[in-house]
Amino acid sequence: KAGVTQTPRYLIKTRGQQVTLSCSPISGHRSVSWYQQTPGQGLQFLFEYFSETQRNKGNFPGRFSGRQFSNSRSEMNVSTLELGDSALYLCASSLAGGKSSYNSPLHFGNGTRLTVT
Amino acid sequence: AQTVTQSQPEMSVQEAETVTLSCTYDTSESNYYLFWYKQPPSRQMILVIRQEAYKQQNATENRFSVNFQKAAKSFSLKISDSQLGDTAMYFCAFMKLGPGGATNKLIFGTGTLLAVQP
């Protein structure tokens, strides 16, 4: 079974641009979560989607948005990029959520390394 | 708000020896999950072990075990017979339960970089 796939692996953008990152979950997984990892702030939760609906949201500005498609694939968009958005963006998928999440823990992808210049 | 603290930024251990990584957390919740994840240089976050807060028995996965002290809000990871492949960043993580169960929202500690020396 293929793991969580994130594309692209690396991305370089300029301040003020926007960027879209993609995440394909493990087949059958319906929940997709996004995390930002930086040396200064560590790992921070961005948001979670389940059945095309945002179910949980972290404390990030509105420039960060996401969506999930009917096949569970998810995209994350960051508009008006700032230097501080440079980070590793990790996507994680799980079967469902709820009590079953314990037996279906989060499976992470290899991340997209975003550099903003 | 929940917080997770890992007070050991770096640790080193000799191959085949045992090492313990510390983690403390702060929460007012009574039901939650705790996890240890490892992140090798490949960047992929890999689940090492997990614990449900209502279970008093400490979780064990092969060479990995935890010491879960709910009252003290402590969740340490013990790695026995350390191997070179265990070299990685280790993160302690907390997940609270919502009305429908797990929220899939992990709160991570700052990590401990473990180096296993040959």
Side-chain angles (χ1 to χ4, degrees), chain A:
Chain A
K1 203 178 220 184
V4 178
T5 303
Q6 291 188 246
T7 57
R9 288 268 289 175
Y10 300 91
L11 207 47
I12 301 175
K13 290 286 187 180
T14 305
R15 260 184 309 177
Q17 288 186 316
Q18 76 165 17
V19 67
T20 299
L21 312 182
S22 180
C23 173
S24 293
I26 291 172
S27 178
H29 283 195
R30 297 167 63 193
S31 166
V32 174
S33 307
W34 289 88
Y35 291 82
Q36 182 197 62
Q37 185 175 21
T38 61
Q41 300 298 318
L43 281 150
Q44 296 185 89
F45 172 79
L46 280 154
F47 30 63
E48 184 221 7
Y49 286 86
F50 178 75
S51 291
E52 302 179 63
T53 301
Q54 187 180 88
R55 193 162 60 170
N56 285 296
K57 190 176 187 306
N59 296 323
F60 278 80
R63 301 185 297 107
F64 292 81
S65 63
R67 59 177 175 169
Q68 185 180 35
F69 302 95
S70 57
N71 61 358
S72 293
R73 189 178 72 86
S74 177
E75 287 182 348
M76 191 193 94
N77 185 77
V78 187
S79 63
T80 319
L81 283 166
E82 300 177 359
L83 294 179
D85 298 333
S86 294
L88 178 66
Y89 289 88
L90 292 167
C91 166
S93 74
S94 75
L95 265 176
K99 289 182 172 55
S100 65
S101 279
Y102 181 75
N103 292 317
S104 171
L106 299 183
H107 296 263
F108 285 83
N110 285 339
T112 293
R113 172 77 67 187
L114 172 65
T115 301
V116 181
T117 62

